């Protein structure tokens, strides 16, 4: 039975300007920079936003129209949703999916009952994996929606909630092993505070670290070797979340000895909410050797909350893929997971296809542009030139550690201002931005 | 004598991806949508940012290197700058300039002395206009830099400052007439408050209105028929400026009977600082019939102050030019004035060319894309369809004024929820954004 | 039967520093500035946030524990909630309530069925009003939650939705008349756009104006003489809402001839989201003669969405009440409606009392401080002095309209810079802020 | 000779509500929580904002009127300024000052000449220290104003600039030793990037670390044992500064082995620009054992740039001093340095006194309130209760490390939802905020 009233989305090229159900840039088996597009990009569909999200907002009930809405029994709907999901993956042409435990099946009154519901759905997913070849980029556990997590999960002030969270996560790791997840993600939506006046921030962070260590220990114990990932976000839902941005999360990982086993899952919209560009967050992780995977979405920088738009901004996808190219890939096992949802006014089933198509095409386009810029070395040459004074003379002495304040004073103390100014150079930033425009337009417009 | 070590900037087309001293898109005499590019765009160079701006910031002295820096006497430098400016206009290939009174010449101890300095420079500009054909898009008066304006000019709590401001502006209007300014702009950088606790906001706004009326009266008296324009900006330098954004300024104009004689000059960066897109501000003015002219620049939405970057974002230039196309032009006498400056790290003379080139090319590109979208009616058809229910039946009764709450209740009271939901339609916004990507890339990349 | 496990909240004075179930400042019958506190403040409890709000957020299910949760049938619960509400009003000691139509009773499949449910609950409210003396500060219609309003109500692109909205509102006006609402509020949460690319902003605003005119016409027809109010908010849920802030909404009202019949309902958190202080929005409305009523809450300026906190910041309540004092009252029929909700982590029933107590006490305190500052004329004298140069000489000529640019030039043209600087004066803003601290602390701390 | 037309600022108590030249709360020798106020607060006057700042802004020339403006020769003025400064310290009654090298004396053409100018002024300062007992809280080097630092100092792409910066800093350390600075601060206003496209972020951070290590080595070599401090700020002047906020800077310090020798200097306005409260930044540093010193100022959270207001918000000073009390002091050698300036409209000499008075009184008041809250243990008891479930049972097993995912699953797997919800408790946040109001008002208002 067909849930989705569309054919398999074909590559159609760039002849028709109006977007439809076809890719303009994404050709999974096309080789770019030595790898197939599908292997650079490793696109994943997020279960929560694609199949569960009802398109509610704080002032509105859900508008989503979904082909499995007719099922009223929660388990019936959950099982039908699996059929719909795998048909969707196939028609869209992606290789990966991601899910929270709670995306798949309804909760029971106890965790035991909840796990039972969940296992039934996972059984069906495992069956589908055998025939479809679909892989799980990562799975995760929803430790934020239920009222029991109101003040945190691993950072809850209440030991029973810590215990429950651990128990819930245990089963989520077991499921990760069953479905062969390549990564395992933690997003701490409740791991933060509403007010510092009543919060013991340090104790809560110690608890979080303990929780992560226990999780890794248990994964090791059961032989689940997924790459563990933390996903930063500064605020929303809480006033302050501990995993604020890449740098803050790296500091936390280092402080608590987690940087050997954990890396980062970075999201574009979260970057913006923290006051950063997506490129900045990716570069920060790359420089620390801690880039794990990417949540592919975009924000509206004039909007102060998480909108998780499908990525369409070619400047941002180009910048992201440029950093990925320099890094040789997203991460050891990373991919681009569409943590993205349609606007509330895009409520028809096909909008899920349109959304993913603009997202996949925008990242495929970004890869093509980034590759061409990289091949032409337009920016790499510029940077090499810009820092070239450290290659010889006083610069080399600084680099090698031979220089100290006394030798540098001897070098500089009688240099006139004019000579110092002459040592600096314009970075011609306006020209650089123009060149990037040309690379985008020329690479994609042919 | 050549001040600028460049040739006249040619049109070079799109063959070379790396930007240099040539236009990729801007061809002044190319006809687009029935008019020459130069007539749609009417590019103007801003004297203050281009020739006077030293590239200071609140934490740094000026880095700018300018060819007339060698002149140490202020009047000598001011006169040399005119030569440099007209050589710049010619080499860049623009038709318009804009200036504040204080951009041109140094102040004296009294306004009489100041005016004398100014007149000498204006004499030279007028001479250059005769031979070059350069026109003044608008001139304006700097009523914000000098300490006397610390608490306002037209809204100063001190009557002597109001009087001085009026006197200064009077001469600026006379100069506008001499140089044939097509518009006259007011930006009220000090017309706002630091704190409401010590401010009589209403009185200050009444004074501002009085000031504008006096200005218009005097312009009429001397036969200076420029279009008067107000330029909104929400804050910076003051905590709150009265001309906050387009809508607020329109409200002010209507309240004080200024909307017949004044229109708006809108800037991209100011739009962002007010929480709006540039497109929103332009559309707001167009809908009110009050679009006058445009300050062409862009902000960085993650930065909280006015950076006045040269425009390079093709999404924003396309959106702006689309609204301009729908409006049949920027305004009766509007143009695109580059209220833009290089970054502090782009301090060489040629960066002024690179900056204007990326700006002019980005707007020329935006015009080309907007024209193609407009010709294909891709968005206009979508909108027509979206609102089509108002063409007949109950919609037509609403439009015509025949409907009232009672007739509408009779129509709606027994409609089931399913029928109401069926009356709404997805706006397929993700598809629309993808289509815009295609138009940009395909139009420019050929 | 008692729903709330508390006694009537008494005035306890300031002896106990730890807050409990008692007022420290609010004494309803105490006379301040010639009126009883209850008549200056006219506190109102908002049905939606107090009785209906489940304390959900975009990432979490409701945590609220409410005494009527045991009722599973929606109508049973709706009727029990009325009992609980009136017990709450009585125990808290407020005189007013506010509600949306949809707060009171569940929807049916058609508006006729919905109205039937609603009428039953309103019958019960009317009965309670007779015995309790409770008044309705305002009622309103929820035209934003149901999916049918996904793209607007009065601004929906779909005529059937406009019609339905009108029909729904018609009954809401009829109810307003039954319960004797002193005001009627419109908040346009869906009256805006997601994207300008597919929106006819002008047509939508014309439809909104038509909608408001029809509403006023029908209110007149049935003899419902409530003051009509528009409530501004810049964004959230939509990307841009037409009633952005006070100034924008005033512009809209004037453009469409609504300023005679409509005024403004202003909210603190909405002010912040628009980049303004609450005081600024209130003053803007006062200056235009359009202050109608106030939604009493506060935002967290580091958070980009509407949190609707109970007001507790004494600086903000003092500023708000100062402007109210200057205006002689909130508005012809205005009050302070707590459009405020507990944090998700304040989920017990009593937290509703604690929240209202901090809100009421903070505004009562603000009134006391404002009154003392006003009596001492500390700011009024400062302002009088600051603008005194307009009382005589050239200032008086400016005020009277006798001055023009020529007379002002004659006055100013030979004034030296030193004289102009001497005409300006420091505003000693740091001293003013210190003085406000002293008034707050001294007035309240005795 | 008297530069300042005021007497020594006395303690006047709280009888006069209007602020004048007297302290309402600050009594240097009053003992609070076991220490004198002066020893808790260690107030410092910042040379740059107090004596050098002309009150310019990006759109305005300086308005400041200062008693040493009559000196036109830069060295004469510099020396007169020292007299004025020490008279100011004495009249205000502070024990500490802070300065940049460039605050004190003008630059020459070479560093040698610059140092000579500087040394002359330092000689005079050292003389004054002997008679006045004034101490230097910290000194620092201005490595951001001069155009040579346009693209960084320690992170400049140009080795000559790195060398010059080192040489300049060397002398600044020597001066620190001469004046006995208790701390030495680094603020990296240019140590960041304009664009990632042309920046090697990792190399620049490595250079910065090298620079800091060299500085510490040289300080050790000359026996200058000041506590080294880094001051975070997220952006402005550059698009991104590496020392973004406390957490990011801690991460950097740990990555490069600087956390043993360096701590943090934290500023209120910088906290806000990074999206944090001041309290959050202080707590973050305290928890890491890295709080060094505090820059006492405040921002306006609706304004997107650094305004460095004198602190007056009693909520913020109370929160800051509460964290300081819990920490047993600001830091080993920390103090409260007023990195604060008057508004541009507060331009008279006496405004410098008013500004410091409101700042000192607001922090003294914050100390009094914090002490009382701390003595009453109102928040500490609340927190102890909130986390009490970790004291025994499963919580104790989690704390001790005995628990793992398997034991926690066994504990939690059959707990029904109702029991889990019962394990969570309301945090009554509204009540807490009300209580804080009462402590502020009651403590200060008596
Ligand atoms: Co994500
Ligand atoms: Co997100
Ligand atoms: Co402008
Ligand atoms: Co600007
Ligand atoms: Co409201
Ligand atoms: Co609100
Ligand atoms: Co500072
Ligand atoms: Co600062």
């Amino acid at each position: 039975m067909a849930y989705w009233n569309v054919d398999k989305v074909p590559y159609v090229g760039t002849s028709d300007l109006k977007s439809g159900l076809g890719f303009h840039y994404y050709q999974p088996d096309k080789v770019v920079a030595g790898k197939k597009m599908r292997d650079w990009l490793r696109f994943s569909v997020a279960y929560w936003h694609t199949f569960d999200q009802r398109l509610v907002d704080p002032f509105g009930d859900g508008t989503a129209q979904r082909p499995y809405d007719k099922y009223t029994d929660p388990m019936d709907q959950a099982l039908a949703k699996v059929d719909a999901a795998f048909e969707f993956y196939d028609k869209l042409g992606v290789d990966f999916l991601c899910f929270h435990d709670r995306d798949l099946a309804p909760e029971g009154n106890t965790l035991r009952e909840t796990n039972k519901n969940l296992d039934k759905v996972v059984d069906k997913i495992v069956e589908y994996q055998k025939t479809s070849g679909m892989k799980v980029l990562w799975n995760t556990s929803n430790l934020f929606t239920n009222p029991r997590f109101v003040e945190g999960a691993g950072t809850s002030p209440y030991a029973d909630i810590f215990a429950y969270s651990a128990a819930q996560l245990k089963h989520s790791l077991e499921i990760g092993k069953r479905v062969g997840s390549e990564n395992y993600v933690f997003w701490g939506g409740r791991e933060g505070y509403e007010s510092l006046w009543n919060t013991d921030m340090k104790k809560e962070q110690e608890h979080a670290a303990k929780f992560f260590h226990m999780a890794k220990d248990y994964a090791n114990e059961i032989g689940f070797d997924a790459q563990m990932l933390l996903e930063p976000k500064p605020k929303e839902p809480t006033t302050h979340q501990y995993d604020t941005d890449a740098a803050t999360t790296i500091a936390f990982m280092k402080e608590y000895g987690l940087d050997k086993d954990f890396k980062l899952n970075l999201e574009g919209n979260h970057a913006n909410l923290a006051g950063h560009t997506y490129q900045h967050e990716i570069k920060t992780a790359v420089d620390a050797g801690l880039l794990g995977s990417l949540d592919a979405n975009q924000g509206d920088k004039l909007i102060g909350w998480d909108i998780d738009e499908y990525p369409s901004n070619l400047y941002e996808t180009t910048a992201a893929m440029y950093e990925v190219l320099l890094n040789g890939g997203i991460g050891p096992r990373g991919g681009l997971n569409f943590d993205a949802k349609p606007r509330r006014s895009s409520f028809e089933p096909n909008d899920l296809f349109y959304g993913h198509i603009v997202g996949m095409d925008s990242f495929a386009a970004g890869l093509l542009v980034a590759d061409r810029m990289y091949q032409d070395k337009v920016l790499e040459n510029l940077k090499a030139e810009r820092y070239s004074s450290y290659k010889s003379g006083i610069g080399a002495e600084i680099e090698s550690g031979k220089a100290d304040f006394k030798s540098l004073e001897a070098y500089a103390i009688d240099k006139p201002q004019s000579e110092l100014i002459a040592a600096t150079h314009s970075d011609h930033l306006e020209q650089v931005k123009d060149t990037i425009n040309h690379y985008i337009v020329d690479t994609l417009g042919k």
Side-chain angles (χ1 to χ4, degrees), chain A:
Chain A
M1 187 201 104
Y3 280 90
W4 308 95
N5 192 21
V6 305
D7 297 324
K8 197 162 164 44
V9 180
Y11 170 73
V12 296
T14 56
S15 52
D16 188 3
L17 293 199
K18 191 151 182 319
S19 300
L21 292 163
F23 294 110
H24 285 58
Y25 301 110
Y26 183 54
Q27 294 174 275
D29 296 315
K30 178 170 170 170
V31 173
V32 178
K35 275 199 282 193
K36 288 181 181 176
M37 273 191 161
R38 65 172 1 121
D39 295 326
W40 276 114
L41 299 165
R42 292 165 55 94
F43 288 128
S44 161
V45 169
Y47 216 91
W48 55 98
H49 274 335
T50 310
F51 305 115
D52 287 336
Q53 173 59 250
R54 304 307 307 172
L55 305 181
V56 299
D57 69 26
F59 300 90
D61 292 340
T63 60
Q65 298 174 356
R66 298 292 174 254
Y68 33 76
D69 288 352
K70 58 187 166 193
Y71 295 94
T72 51
D73 175 79
M75 276 304 293
D76 289 350
Q77 195 183 74
L79 291 165
K81 220 181 274 180
V82 176
D83 295 319
F86 277 84
E87 184 191 328
F88 188 90
Y89 305 143
D90 181 55
K91 287 184 164 172
L92 186 63
V94 294
D95 299 329
F96 293 92
L97 71 150
C98 289
F99 60 86
H100 299 82
D101 43 10
R102 291 298 87 84
D103 299 342
L104 300 183
E107 292 212 328
N109 188 39
T110 64
L111 181 58
R112 193 183 299 277
E113 294 167 30
T114 299
N115 287 349
K116 223 174 90 188
N117 290 345
L118 180 54
D119 288 342
K120 253 187 238 161
V121 178
V122 171
D123 289 346
K124 188 163 179 180
I125 285 176
V126 169
E127 282 310 304
Y128 261 112
Q129 284 186 288
K130 290 181 193 156
T131 53
S132 67
M134 281 294 293
K135 285 165 283 184
V136 175
L137 185 64
W138 46 266
N139 69 316
T140 182
S141 182
N142 179 329
L143 298 173
F144 46 89
T145 299
N146 190 288
R148 73 179 80 94
F149 304 123
V150 57
E151 295 168 53
T155 68
S156 174
Y158 311 112
D160 275 14
I161 304 305
F162 184 104
Y164 186 94
S165 304
Q168 179 176 327
L169 198 85
K170 174 173 176 289
H171 197 59
S172 180
L173 294 170
E174 291 158 0
I175 284 167
K177 183 170 154 70
R178 283 188 66 199
V179 300
S181 294
E182 304 204 5
N183 305 273
Y184 190 88
V185 166
F186 297 81
W187 173 61
R190 301 288 168 199
E191 318 302 11
Y193 62 74
E194 284 305 317
S195 167
L196 266 180
W197 286 116
N198 60 16
T199 300
D200 188 333
M201 184 159 77
K202 187 166 192 176
K203 183 193 283 284
E204 294 202 355
Q205 288 187 296
E206 287 166 356
H207 285 181
K210 215 178 272 279
F211 192 76
F212 294 134
H213 277 296
M214 284 185 193
K216 181 62 188 167
D217 288 347
Y218 186 69
N220 288 344
E221 186 177 334
I222 63 172
F224 174 39
D225 73 342
Q227 173 64 52
M228 299 276 162
L229 302 174
L230 301 185
E231 178 170 340
K233 186 180 179 186
K235 49 185 70 177
E236 201 207 21
T238 75
T239 294
H240 174 84
Q241 277 138 228
Y242 299 131
D243 292 339
T244 301
D245 58 8
T248 302
T249 308
I250 290 169
F252 168 77
M253 286 157 66
K254 285 183 191 271
E255 174 69 19
Y256 291 102
L258 294 159
D259 53 322
K260 295 298 167 288
D261 292 321
F262 287 70
K263 293 190 188 299
L264 295 169
N265 185 47
L266 296 171
E267 180 182 313
N269 203 148
H270 297 176
N272 296 165
L273 291 171
H276 307 307
T277 61
Y278 197 18
Q279 185 180 16
H280 173 81
E281 288 292 271
I282 295 172
K283 178 70 104 187
T284 298
V286 164
D287 283 352
L290 291 173
L291 179 60
S293 195
L294 294 174
D295 267 11
N297 70 17
Q298 72 184 12
D300 175 332
K301 294 178 198 70
L302 297 173
I303 282 183
W305 63 93
D306 204 16
I307 59 172
D308 290 338
E309 272 194 352
Y310 290 104
S312 67
N313 187 308
L314 297 173
Y315 292 110
E316 297 187 1
T317 58
T318 295
M321 290 314 298
Y322 190 78
E323 301 304 335
V324 164
L325 264 173
L326 289 187
N327 193 44
I330 295 176
R333 304 180 189 170
L336 284 163
N337 171 57
F338 288 104
D339 193 357
K341 62 181 176 186
R343 299 303 83 211
R344 196 167 173 271
S345 51
S346 292
F347 50 73
E348 295 179 3
N350 284 6
D351 290 314
L352 293 171
F353 283 93
Y354 291 133
H356 281 88
I357 288 168
V358 69
M360 292 165 74
D361 257 353
S362 296
F363 266 96
L367 172 62
L368 293 169
V369 177
D371 176 50
R372 187 143 171 237
M373 291 202 299
Y374 184 69
Q375 281 181 34
D376 289 0
K377 299 218 164 301
V378 59
L379 292 162
E380 297 314 299
N381 289 344
L382 183 156
K383 277 191 273 188
E385 174 63 24
R386 196 163 176 236
Y387 295 93
S388 60
S389 63
Y390 288 92
K391 287 275 170 61
S392 61
I394 194 74
E397 283 176 38
I398 292 166
E399 289 284 5
S400 69
K402 271 190 229 152
D404 65 12
F405 270 21
K406 283 184 292 187
S407 69
L408 294 170
E409 183 190 62
Y411 178 83
I413 196 159
D414 290 313
K415 278 198 192 299
Q417 166 80 348
S418 58
E419 204 173 306
L420 293 162
I421 295 299
T424 66
H425 302 283
S426 168
D427 65 1
H428 302 312
L429 199 51
E430 291 76 15
Q431 198 186 7
V432 171
K433 294 173 107 172
D434 200 37
T435 297
I436 291 169
N437 272 354
H438 298 158
Y439 270 87
I440 290 174
V441 158
D442 192 78
T443 304
L444 303 177
K446 297 221 173 173

